[in-house]
Amino acid sequence: MSWHERIVTDPAVCHGKACIRGTRIMVSVVLDNMAAGLSPEEIMSSYPSLTLDDVRAAVSYAAELARERIIDLPAAS
């Protein structure tokens, strides 16, 4: 699973912030919940449209950002 398949940006959704494809759930929301100590299962319970692969994609996306490279995101389709 590649995070590229699940993380998108769209200027018309959440001010262009990175979101889980097909939702308005920002990657930062998933990461904030994880940083607060919630398990992936608890996050998915709070956001039923999320899957475990979505949570993993958010973490993978964050890891890419931590490498301090420029990342081109696909536009939402």
Side-chain angles (χ1 to χ4, degrees), residues 14-54:
C14 297
H15 306 285
K17 306 245 183 198
C19 291
I20 306 299
R21 182 181 297 281
T23 75
R24 292 181 171 268
I25 302 168
M26 293 181 291
V27 170
S28 61
V29 169
V30 176
L31 298 173
D32 286 342
N33 277 277
M34 293 192 81
L38 276 70
S39 69
E41 292 75 18
E42 291 170 314
I43 297 168
M44 292 183 304
S45 177
S46 295
Y47 300 92
S49 61
L50 290 181
T51 66
L52 184 56
D53 282 341
D54 292 330

